[in-house]
Every structure is written in structure tokens, then in C-alpha cells.
């Protein structure tokens, strides 16, 4: 039998402890599959005394992840600490510098430093694997980098944050946003500070990685347009339902004539599309390519065990000696990311305005849309009986819902800007992009 593959795991929290438990439970079966054992020989976390649900006897303890990363006693460093910089970055750098393989689940680290890490890994001949960083247990990185590598991919559409999908699903069931968020927090899906999830930043980190692997471009997290879900109101959920859509927080990366459009925002998707049916904390990624057509993967996007499944999949590749450039092609062959401006985005739009109930207001709005060459699919004014309509000062406000045909972001923003300036509406207009699926 070949020598054992010796692992050092840094971080024994939700994911790290699950990885250790999986390897403990399936150790013999894996040895027989691989022709070599995979052994956890060293670990590192903050609190040494805490029970982690696996047998720690015989495993060396390190207080410092960097010293573990440099240790000659391990072949592969498994980084499950988290964070875009700090200890995670230092220790991954240290492991790669010494030519060790690295497996990580850390999307924030890769979105911020993935290019430097990929270059370093290649220069040192060290594998760098990160399946668990996107979509938790869903094998999307391997699918893009290996199984679909023969295609020219055209669009990736993903539900990449289970917390947001859970909140939107609960809103469809009748809850308002604050109550749905509180429930997500109570169930442990959302952090006490949920902004990283609900404002779309977590999805953007994952999309930055997917965009690079799918389109062969350098990772450019800052180029992604990001809008979260915290402004979605029950009226929008109800309107989407009436119009035959569901609202999802999507990460979309798409080739266009002017470059690659990478965007994260709440999106109306047709109710009968596969992605619309993905509910609760489940994640899904749909990939479109020239030979495959469309394929969708869905499954648990988080949770210790599902994420450990992906981490161990990477460890198995390393044990077998599988070597793939981290981002699917040599880093020197990745093209600079050519960003398509969001203003040039083309698609349908849902707009909801609170219009002051004055003669001519409705017509003025329709006129501004026509002036911007926006063709309307529908414009609906839901006149509420006097007394039932909301008021602002002396103004009665009537909700107006507009669905446009395909137009540009620039045209919609321009028209809305003029309508706002004319004072016909109260508050900020609601705008949700519609995605053809
Ligand atoms: N949780 C998920 O469902 C999930 C899904 C996909 C990807 N990920 C990614 O997986 C990574 C780990 O997430 P997690 O949920 O497992 O996090 P977690 O439960 O917070 O665990 C973090 C672990 O890192 C240890 N740690 C923190 N700072 C340290 C330091 N300076 N030195 C040594 N150890 C340190 C902690 O030690 P103590 O235990 O002693 O405090 C803990 O064991 C993150 O990058 C995350 O984005 C998580």
C-alpha cells in the first residue's frame, strides 16, 4: 500500500469537525478505494479542551495555524478557519510556499486573494482545491473545471446563499422580511449580523470564483454588481406570484458582446423554471454551454456534513495525485476580466411606484417611459378606495406596477430618475430585474 496521505486540519468548527468525523467513519473504506490511508495527523483550533465529536487521541495539536501549515509532519493543509485575510491567508500562503497541497472551503479568501494563491500554488507545484467554497456540498467547481471543460460556457445562474433563499421562501409563505430574517437567525442559518448574506456579498464572493472558472478569466470580485434582498417587500412577492414569477437572489455571470456581466441581485424568474422551484436553504447552479445546452445542479449549499463531503472529495483527488490548475487553466492563461457595464444590461424590469393620486400623474409616467424607448408589457394602477389607500401628507398614494419588455438598465434608470425629479411619485421606486430562463 502507498504511504498514507497525512492531513493537518486548521479549524475544527462546523465544517472542520465534520471533515474529521467523516474521515474517522469512512477511513477504512477510503483506504480500500484509494489504495492508501488518509490520516488526520495534526489539528489546530482556538480552544484545545472543546469536545469536537471525534477521537483526538494520537492527533498532534497546534495552537498556531501557520506553524501547522509549515510542519513537515503533514502533506496537505486543510484550511477551515474562514475569513478573507488574517490567519487563513497567512497559513494557506505558508503551506503553498512549502509545496504542500491545500484544501479550503473559504470563498472570502479566494474571492480576495485567489489569483495570488493560484499563481503561488502553480509556482510551487502545489495543488490548491476549493470545491466547498461555492455551493457547499454541490460539486460545481469540479463540474465546470472538468466535466464541462469541453464547452464554451455562456451563462451561469446560481442560488448561492441558502439564508437568502430561505428568507424569500418564507416571504412567499406570507411572512414579512424582518420576521423571516429573525426565523433564519433562530434556526442558525443567518449570523447575528446578517448583512454579509442578505446584502449579497457572500453570493458575490462565490460568483467571483465561478466566473473565473467558467469563463477562464482572472478573479475580479470588485467588478461584480451587488444588490441584496433587504428591500424586498410583501407587495413584490405578491406581484411576482400574480405575474407568474418567483423572486430569487441570483448570482448571474454571462458573456455579452461588451464583456462579461457578473451581477448579484433579487431577480424575478419564471415560476415554471427549474431554478424557481429551488426552495428553502437549498442552493442551485444552472450552467449553459454550447454543446451541453443547460444543466442544473442543486443540493445543500451549507451545513457541516454537506460541506465536509465536498472538502473530502478534494482530499481524495489529492490522495490520487489528480492535478488540475486551481482555476481550470494555468494562471498565466487566464484572461483579464473584461467587465460589461451594468448600465448596458438588457432584460425585462418590474417596477413598483407609489404614485401621487393627481390628474395626469399616470400619463406622465407612461410618457417618460416612452421617451426612454422603453416598451411596456403592462402598467397596472391598483386604485384603492379612498380611505384604504396609503397617504403621505395630503397626497393619496396609488401603487402602480410596470413590467417592461427587454430594455437596458441605463434606459430604466434614466426614466425613473426623471419621474422621481418631477415629484409624481413618493419614495424610491422599487426595481427588480426579470431573468429569462
Ligand atoms: N458552515 C458552513 O455551512 C460552510 C459552508 C461552506 C463553506 N464554509 C466555509 O468553511 C470555513 C469554516 O466555516 P465554519 O462554519 O466551520 O466556521 P466555524 O464553525 O466558525 O469554525 C471556525 C474554526 O476555526 C477556528 N479558528 C478561528 N480562528 C482561529 C485561529 N486564529 N487559530 C486557530 N483556529 C481558529 C475555530 O476554533 P474554535 O472552535 O476553538 O473556536 C473553529 O474551530 C469558512 O471559510 C466558511 O466560509 C462553511
Amino acid at each position: 500500500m502507498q504511504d498514507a496521505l497525512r492531513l493537518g486540519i486548521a479549524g475544527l468548527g462546523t465544517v472542520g469537525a465534520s471533515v474529521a468525523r467523516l474521515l474517522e467513519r469512512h477511513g477504512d473504506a477510503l483506504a480500500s478505494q484509494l489504495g492508501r490511508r488518509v490520516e488526520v495527523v495534526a489539528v489546530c483550533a482556538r480552544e484545545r479542551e472543546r469536545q469536537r465529536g471525534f477521537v483526538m487521541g494520537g492527533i498532534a495539536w497546534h495552537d498556531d495555524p501557520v506553524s501547522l501549515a509549515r510542519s513537515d509532519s503533514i502533506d496537505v493543509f486543510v484550511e477551515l478557519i474562514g475569513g478573507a485575510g488574517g490567519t487563513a491567508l497567512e497559513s494557506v500562503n505558508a503551506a503553498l510556499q512549502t509545496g504542500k497541497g491545500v484544501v479550503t472551503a473559504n470563498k472570502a479568501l479566494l474571492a480576495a486573494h485567489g489569483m495570488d494563491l493560484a499563481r503561488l500554488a502553480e509556482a510551487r507545484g502545489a495543488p490548491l482545491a476549493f470545491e466547498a467554497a461555492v455551493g457547499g456540498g454541490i460539486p460545481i467547481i469540479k463540474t465546470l473545471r472538468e466535466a464541462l471543460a469541453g464547452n464554451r460556457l455562456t451563462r451561469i445562474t446560481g442560488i448561492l446563499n441558502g439564508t437568502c433563499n430561505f428568507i424569500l421562501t418564507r416571504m412567499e409563505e406570507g411572512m414579512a422580511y424582518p420576521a423571516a430574517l429573525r426565523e433564519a437567525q433562530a434556526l442558525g442559518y443567518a449570523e447575528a449580523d446578517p448583512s454579509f448574506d442578505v446584502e449579497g456579498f457572500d453570493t458575490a464572493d462565490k460568483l467571483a470564483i465561478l466566473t473565473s472558472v467558467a469563463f477562464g478569466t482572472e478573479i475580479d470580485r470588485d467588478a461584480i454588481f451587488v444588490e441584496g434582498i433587504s428591500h424586498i417587500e410583501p407587495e413584490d412577492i405578491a406581484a411576482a406570484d400574480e405575474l407568474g414569477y418567483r423572486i430569487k437572489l441570483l448570482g448571474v455571470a454571462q458573456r455579452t458582446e461588451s464583456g462579461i456581466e457578473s451581477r448579484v441581485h433579487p431577480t424575478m424568474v419564471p415560476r415554471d423554471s427549474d431554478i424557481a422551484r429551488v426552495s428553502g436553504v437549498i442552493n442551485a447552479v444552472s450552467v449553459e454551454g454550447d454543446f451541453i445546452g443547460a444543466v442544473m445542479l442543486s443540493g445543500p449549499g451549507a451545513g457541516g456534513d454537506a460541506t465536509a463531503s465536498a472538502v473530502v472529495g478534494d482530499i481524495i483527488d489529492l490522495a490520487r495525485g489528480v492535478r488540475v490548475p486551481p482555476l481550470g487553466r494555468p494562471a498565466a492563461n487566464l484572461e483579464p476580466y473584461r467587465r460589461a457595464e451594468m448600465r448596458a444590461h438588457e432584460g425585462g424590469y418590474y417596477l413598483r411606484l407609489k404614485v401621487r393620486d393627481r390628474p395626469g400623474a399616470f400619463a406622465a409616467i407612461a410618457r417618460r417611459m416612452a421617451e426612454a424607448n422603453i416598451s411596456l408589457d403592462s402598467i397596472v394602477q391598483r386604485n384603492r378606495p379612498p380611505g384604504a389607500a396609503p397617504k403621505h401628507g395630503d397626497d393619496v398614494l396609488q401603487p402602480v406596477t410596470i413590467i417592461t419588455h427587454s430594455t437596458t438598465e441605463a434606459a430604466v434608470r434614466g426614466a425613473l430618475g426623471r419621474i422621481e425629479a418631477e415629484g409624481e411619485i413618493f419614495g424610491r421606486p422599487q426595481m427588480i430585474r426579470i431573468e429569462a430562463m
Side-chain angles (χ1 to χ4, degrees):
M1 204 184 242
Q2 227 184 315
D3 287 346
L5 184 79
R6 300 166 304 163
L7 306 180
I9 303 180
L12 297 173
T14 307
V15 182
S18 270
V19 168
R21 285 195 292 269
L22 190 164
L23 292 170
E24 189 177 77
R25 189 183 313 166
H26 297 319
D28 292 343
L30 284 174
S32 138
Q33 253 175 286
L34 301 171
R36 68 190 295 196
R37 292 203 73 81
V38 174
E39 284 175 3
V40 181
V41 299
V43 293
C44 169
R46 280 175 304 206
E47 268 186 57
R48 187 169 186 165
E49 302 312 320
R50 188 178 294 172
Q51 291 300 309
R52 313 272 178 177
F54 64 95
V55 179
M56 299 267 261
I59 299 178
W61 177 270
H62 286 246
D63 287 320
D64 175 17
V66 179
S67 89
L68 172 58
R70 291 206 181 106
S71 164
D72 289 336
S73 69
I74 64 168
D75 304 307
V76 171
F77 179 69
V78 184
E79 186 277 308
L80 298 169
I81 297 170
T87 312
L89 176 61
E90 271 176 61
S91 57
V92 167
N93 261 322
L96 294 174
Q97 286 285 1
T98 55
K100 291 188 186 70
V102 169
V103 174
T104 178
N106 192 336
K107 60 250 165 183
L109 176 72
L110 287 157
H113 302 288
M115 286 312 304
D116 289 341
L117 295 175
R119 288 189 193 105
L120 175 61
E122 280 181 38
R124 301 289 164 166
L128 167 63
F130 49 85
E131 181 62 70
V134 183
I138 305 174
I140 184 62
I141 299 294
K142 207 183 251 291
T143 300
L144 292 175
R145 197 173 52 187
E146 289 148 57
L148 298 180
N151 288 263
R152 179 177 160 84
L153 301 180
T154 47
R155 183 169 69 155
I156 309 277
T157 317
I159 294 176
L160 299 169
N161 184 279
T163 306
C164 289
N165 208 47
F166 174 83
I167 291 172
L168 291 170
T169 302
R170 293 299 277 146
M171 288 180 75
E172 283 170 351
E173 290 160 5
M175 255 186 198
Y177 173 83
L181 172 59
R182 276 197 302 278
E183 187 177 278
Q185 284 169 324
L187 290 167
Y189 299 146
E191 304 288 328
D193 172 7
S195 54
F196 197 66
D197 288 326
V198 298
E199 298 309 338
F201 305 133
D202 173 73
T203 300
D205 281 354
K206 294 167 181 167
L207 187 66
I209 300 166
L210 286 185
T211 304
S212 168
V213 177
F215 299 128
T217 53
E218 293 174 358
I219 296 175
D220 190 351
R221 165 68 178 79
D222 295 338
I224 295 180
F225 172 86
V226 190
E227 188 184 294
I229 62 165
S230 56
H231 63 293
I232 300 294
E233 294 184 24
E235 289 99 306
D236 304 314
I237 301 277
D241 187 48
E242 245 173 64
L243 294 159
Y245 294 104
R246 294 184 74 185
I247 300 176
K248 299 289 177 193
L249 181 75
L250 292 189
V252 182
Q254 181 176 15
R255 280 188 204 275
T256 73
E257 276 172 18
S258 57
I260 292 173
E261 204 175 273
S262 251
R263 48 194 165 86
V264 174
H265 51 74
T267 312
M268 286 198 182
V269 288
R271 190 169 36 212
D272 57 1
S273 60
D274 289 338
I275 209 148
R277 296 200 189 98
V278 177
S279 295
V281 288
I282 298 297
N283 281 198
V285 187
S286 166
V287 183
E288 289 158 51
D290 56 353
F291 275 62
I292 181 71
V295 64
M296 191 176 96
L297 280 75
S298 68
D305 287 357
T307 309
S309 158
V311 170
V312 174
D314 281 344
I315 292 170
I316 289 170
D317 273 353
L318 269 55
R320 286 181 169 140
V322 174
R323 292 286 183 275
V324 189
L327 296 165
R329 66 187 69 193
N333 294 354
L334 292 165
E335 289 170 19
Y337 178 87
R338 196 161 64 90
R339 173 188 194 167
E341 290 302 323
M342 195 59 197
R343 292 176 56 75
H345 167 70
E346 287 180 30
Y349 285 77
Y350 155 92
L351 308 169
R352 181 169 56 78
L353 315 173
K354 289 180 204 140
V355 180
R356 297 183 199 280
D357 201 0
R358 299 174 186 160
F362 192 72
I365 289 166
R367 195 168 55 244
R368 290 300 177 203
M369 291 284 164
E371 283 166 6
N373 281 326
I374 299 171
S375 131
L376 303 186
D377 182 54
S378 66
I379 176 163
V380 179
Q381 181 172 11
R382 284 168 215 284
N383 268 327
R384 298 202 181 135
K391 289 183 88 175
H392 179 69
D394 290 336
D395 284 324
V396 174
L397 303 173
Q398 296 291 2
V400 170
T401 305
I402 298 172
I403 300 290
T404 78
H405 287 298
S406 188
T407 178
T408 65
E409 180 99 0
V412 172
R413 288 198 181 276
L416 288 179
R418 280 188 289 278
I419 291 166
E420 273 188 276
E422 280 169 353
E424 305 289 8
I425 61 172
F426 172 73
R428 299 296 323 267
Q430 178 70 298
M431 174 176 105
I432 302 178
R433 296 166 192 85
I434 299 172
E435 190 81 13
M437 295 296 298

